[in-house]
Amino acid sequence: MKRQTRKVGVAGGFFNQLMGNNSTTPKVGEGATILMYSDRDAYEVIEVSADGDSCVIRSMNCKFVGSAYGDEQYEYKSNPNGYTMTIVWNARKGCWCHQTKRVDIIKSLSDRLYKEHGYNWGDHLPNGITYEELMEGDSDGVHTKLKIVDGVTKEYTELSKVSIIFGVMEQYRDPSF
């Protein structure tokens, strides 16, 4: 059983802390709610792995239909172009995590070069490669990420803990803030 726990009474909205302690599982077509400090964001589950250890969720279009400030009522509409995120179960930590990928200089290489060259280690990459040559630019020429180059860079997976409840789709903005 996948049971995530959240410490109650430490920080954040009390109800979000309570709802964060659950053993819900993702199912395609059902809702999902990310629980933040005191707010909540509505998502829908659009994909679940065969083993149930990962899923893809997509943000909903939420329209406020309440009568006044503090009347937290929303209409939900699926958004095919909404923001998507991959959520994976981390058994070691006992929680769901937001999974992202990033390309970076190989950690052991950067550590070794830093020990040898100090703050100028980026000027001493293998095969005379410059840091600028590692950068990928977008159509405006803005460098956004690094390219994968054998022996210099690699793709890393990052996991950030997320408090989530599946089977419930709820948008909420805490009116007390």
Side-chain angles (χ1 to χ4, degrees), residues 140-157:
D140 297 328
V142 176
H143 297 303
T144 56
K145 62 182 183 175
L146 297 178
K147 300 174 192 172
I148 295 179
V149 176
D150 284 338
V152 181
T153 60
K154 78 177 222 181
E155 185 175 66
Y156 291 92
T157 299

Side-chain angles (χ1 to χ4, degrees), residues 95-160:
C95 65
W96 289 97
C97 296
H98 176 206
Q99 178 180 309
T100 55
K101 306 258 185 198
R102 69 176 169 83
V103 176
D104 208 347
I105 305 285
I106 296 171
K107 182 79 170 124
S108 60
L109 173 64
S110 63
D111 289 347
R112 181 176 55 79
L113 291 175
Y114 179 77
K115 283 180 185 176
E116 292 174 13
H117 305 285
Y119 291 110
N120 294 328
W121 67 268
D123 297 335
H124 303 281
L125 294 171
N127 303 323
I129 295 173
T130 65
Y131 198 79
E132 288 74 31
E133 291 172 328
L134 294 176
M135 299 300 288
E136 272 185 7
D138 61 15
S139 59
D140 297 328
V142 176
H143 297 303
T144 56
K145 62 182 183 175
L146 297 178
K147 300 174 192 172
I148 295 179
V149 176
D150 284 338
V152 181
T153 60
K154 78 177 222 181
E155 185 175 66
Y156 291 92
T157 299
E158 295 182 327
L159 298 175
S160 305

Side-chain angles (χ1 to χ4, degrees), residues 36-139:
M36 294 170 284
Y37 188 82
S38 59
D39 295 345
R40 298 177 204 119
D41 279 339
Y43 287 82
E44 63 184 328
V45 179
I46 59 172
E47 187 179 307
V48 178
S49 66
D51 61 5
D53 284 347
S54 69
C55 67
V56 177
I57 61 174
R58 180 173 54 209
S59 64
M60 296 292 289
N61 278 350
C62 303
K63 180 181 176 188
F64 178 74
V65 294
S67 59
Y69 183 74
D71 180 13
E72 292 294 314
Q73 295 180 45
Y74 293 87
E75 285 181 353
Y76 303 100
K77 185 176 178 188
S78 184
N79 180 2
N81 300 319
Y83 172 74
T84 61
M85 67 170 67
T86 301
I87 305 292
V88 297
W89 176 253
N90 186 318
R92 188 174 56 82
K93 293 182 179 181
C95 65
W96 289 97
C97 296
H98 176 206
Q99 178 180 309
T100 55
K101 306 258 185 198
R102 69 176 169 83
V103 176
D104 208 347
I105 305 285
I106 296 171
K107 182 79 170 124
S108 60
L109 173 64
S110 63
D111 289 347
R112 181 176 55 79
L113 291 175
Y114 179 77
K115 283 180 185 176
E116 292 174 13
H117 305 285
Y119 291 110
N120 294 328
W121 67 268
D123 297 335
H124 303 281
L125 294 171
N127 303 323
I129 295 173
T130 65
Y131 198 79
E132 288 74 31
E133 291 172 328
L134 294 176
M135 299 300 288
E136 272 185 7
D138 61 15
S139 59

